[in-house]
Every structure is written in structure tokens, then in C-alpha cells.
Amino acid sequence: MGVGTYVVAVSGGVDSVVLLDLLRKHPGVKMVVAHFDHGIRSDSAVDRKLVQELARSHGLPFVHENGNLGPDTSEAVARKARYKFLHKVKLATGAQAIVTAHHEDDMLETAIINLLRGSGRKGLTSLQSNGQLLRPLLEYTKEHIRDYAKLHALQWREDPSNNDIRYTRNYVRHKLLPKFKDSKRAELKILLEDLTETNKELNRHINTLLHIQPAVDMLDRKWFIGLPHSVSREIVSSWLKRYGVRNINKKTIERLVVAMKTGRAGRNIDVDGTHKLYIKKYVLALRVLER
């Protein structure tokens, strides 16, 4: 991390409390402590008070928001609401990036969860740092983090819902990952690191192919029809994201690929309610729907 201002996501758990303690010792780093209260647990206000006191004791600005999501909220909905809040704080403060406390265990858990869900290559390496989102603790295990917290007598809150194995992540954390011997865990980590590099190389090739298309919002249809089906799916996924389409899934991509290859010229297809795909004789065009 370079010199600048960062939004640090602090839940009050041991991971984010350790992250905050480490970053405050980093010269040149200015922080905004951001806490999102999901409103899932009845005692979540205690977490907010702990984080607020930590921020005050370190002389750091503190921002929080109450999500009021309710006790039956899914992991996916809670995550989406949390990141929406963090990005809003980043924009409001002009910060360079958001920093989260994800660690090695989180990375392995996420890979296993996405594998079970049938995610593609990107899902297996989704928990990485990028320009907008930094995860400096990915090289450290949960055990390392707890040892640091105890050594420095840090205070944190344990979220009791983290032990509820009805949640997929908790099931993987408590039932599956502990069955990995250290050697197998190390092998899995190496495999994910190799896949990360492979994904970066594939993404570079895909971006090159998209760069030589007729326009940012157009694909050469003859060229696209000639692609292998698996490559077509990768191209469409990257093309939609590049154009600003979000919340796409495998079913949507498959539907669009089939239409783009077999649909008659002149046909138009809804993409996600805000974008439409136009099939022409020589090109495939993506357009934003006017409101």
C-alpha cells in the first residue's frame, strides 16, 4: 500500500481489528474506518460501539451505516449491501481504495464454495486484490491473525453467527477446510496461485481480441460465430462487463451466446432489463435502453 487515504472495513471481529492495528502503524497511510451494521443480529450495535471506540482511540474518522437487513438475510445479499456501503464511502471521501481483512482461510473457503456452486475459472480466484479493493492479509492464516491479536492484547467481538453451519461458508470453514492436512492446504494454495496467473494471461488475450472489434459496443459476428463455444462464453462475459453490464450469470451468458450465433439478423434481445443486444448481419451491437 502506498501513501494515501484508504477506506478500511472494520466489522469488530478479530480479522479487521488486526488489520486496523497493522495499518495504523504504516507511515503515510490515512484511514477512514467504515463499519456496516447489517442488522442481522440483535446485538450488532455492540460491534459498532467497539469499532467506533477503536477509531476514536486512534484519532481516525469513523463512518457507519445501519442496513436493517433482518435475521433471514442471505450471505450474498449481506455482502452486496456491505460493498455498496464501502464504495459509497470511498466515493464520498475520495479514497484511493477499500481495504478488507480477508485472509488465507477466506481465500481457500471462497474457492471451495465457488467450486461447489459450479463457478467458472474466475470464481475460483475471485478473492484477490485489485486497484479498487486491497486485501493485504491474504498471505496470513486465521491462526496467524489470532496469534497477533493475543500478543498485542487487542479487543474484538466474536460473531456467534459464524458458528452456524446452515450458512455455506460456515459449513466449509468448520466441516471441510479443517479436514485438509497442512500439505494438502499448501497444494491447494499453490494451485489457486497458478490459476490466478493463468486467468490474468487469459484475460489479457480476451482484452486484445475485444480491442480489435469494430467498436466497444460491437462484435464482428462472422468472427464470433467461428469461435469455440467455451471461448464465446468467455468473450461475452468480458464484453458485457467491459460495457458496464453487471450481475450477469452463466444462464444469461449461455442464452446470449446461442442467440448471437443462431439468431436472425434484425432480432433484438433483452440482456438485463437495462441493456439490449441487437443482432445484425455483420455485427452484434450492445445498447443501453433509454428511460
Side-chain angles (χ1 to χ4, degrees):
M1 289 175 56
V3 173
T5 300
Y6 298 87
V7 175
V8 184
V10 184
S11 66
V14 64
D15 306 334
S16 58
V17 168
V18 166
L19 174 67
L20 182 63
D21 193 69
L22 288 169
L23 291 182
R24 73 182 182 86
K25 301 172 183 177
H26 200 297
V29 171
K30 297 180 180 179
M31 293 180 286
V32 176
V33 177
H35 176 79
F36 185 71
D37 183 345
H38 297 89
I40 294 175
R41 298 183 356 255
S42 59
D43 64 343
S44 59
V46 181
D47 299 350
R48 190 260 303 163
K49 291 178 181 177
L50 170 66
V51 177
Q52 188 171 15
E53 178 56 30
L54 280 173
R56 187 201 62 77
S57 66
H58 298 317
L60 299 172
F62 172 76
V63 182
H64 81 282
E65 182 175 291
N66 294 315
N68 298 316
L69 300 180
D72 297 322
T73 303
S74 70
E75 295 174 84
V77 170
R79 181 173 59 253
K80 183 177 180 180
R82 180 170 64 253
Y83 278 108
K84 182 179 180 181
F85 161 69
L86 293 172
H87 283 287
K88 184 167 62 175
V89 176
K90 176 181 176 293
L91 182 64
T93 59
Q96 291 178 236
I98 296 164
V99 189
T100 69
H102 291 103
H103 46 75
E104 183 182 295
D105 293 54
D106 292 320
M107 179 177 65
L108 299 181
E109 291 164 9
T110 299
I112 294 171
I113 290 168
N114 286 338
L115 180 64
L116 293 172
R117 289 173 176 166
S119 298
R121 62 180 180 90
K122 294 179 181 178
L124 295 179
T125 61
S126 60
L127 204 61
Q128 301 291 328
S129 292
N130 57 51
Q132 301 295 311
L133 186 59
L134 304 180
R135 293 173 168 128
L137 300 184
L138 287 179
E139 293 299 316
Y140 300 93
T141 66
K142 182 76 170 188
E143 185 178 1
H144 289 144
I145 290 170
R146 281 192 173 277
D147 288 345
Y148 178 95
K150 292 174 182 176
L151 179 64
H152 293 82
L154 301 181
Q155 289 186 312
W156 69 89
R157 286 264 299 167
E158 294 288 353
D159 182 349
S161 66
N162 286 337
N163 295 317
D164 187 348
I165 60 173
R166 290 178 298 175
Y167 292 106
T168 302
R169 180 169 295 278
N170 291 341
Y171 181 83
V172 171
R173 176 176 298 160
H174 298 295
K175 296 296 184 180
L176 296 186
L177 198 57
K179 295 183 182 296
F180 281 65
K181 295 180 180 179
D182 289 345
S183 59
K184 292 299 180 184
R185 180 185 174 112
E187 287 178 20
L188 177 58
K189 185 181 178 184
I190 291 171
L191 286 171
L192 294 177
E193 289 172 349
D194 289 344
L195 181 56
T196 298
E197 292 306 311
T198 300
N199 280 342
K200 288 179 181 178
E201 188 66 23
L202 286 172
N203 291 339
R204 281 194 288 269
H205 284 294
I206 290 170
N207 287 333
T208 298
L209 291 172
L210 289 175
H211 185 68
I212 61 176
Q213 295 306 304
V216 173
D217 56 357
M218 289 185 183
L219 298 180
D220 181 305
R221 193 183 185 198
K222 183 179 179 181
W223 164 81
F224 184 80
I225 290 174
L227 294 174
H229 195 71
S230 58
V231 177
S232 301
R233 291 197 298 264
E234 293 285 352
I235 291 291
V236 169
S237 176
S238 296
W239 185 46
L240 294 176
K241 289 177 182 176
R242 192 174 187 180
Y243 195 72
V245 181
R246 297 292 181 264
N247 300 321
I248 52 177
N249 54 41
K250 291 171 66 174
K251 186 176 180 180
T252 297
I253 291 173
E254 183 68 24
R255 172 174 62 85
L256 293 175
V257 167
V258 171
M260 292 162 75
K261 290 195 172 190
T262 64
R264 59 176 175 77
R267 185 183 176 194
N268 60 75
I269 301 164
D270 176 68
V271 176
D272 63 348
T274 60
H275 296 79
K276 189 160 276 192
L277 174 70
Y278 292 85
I279 300 176
K280 302 182 181 181
K281 185 175 182 180
Y282 298 110
V283 297
L284 301 157
L286 194 61
R287 298 285 186 268
V288 178
L289 292 177
E290 295 183 2
R291 294 295 183 183

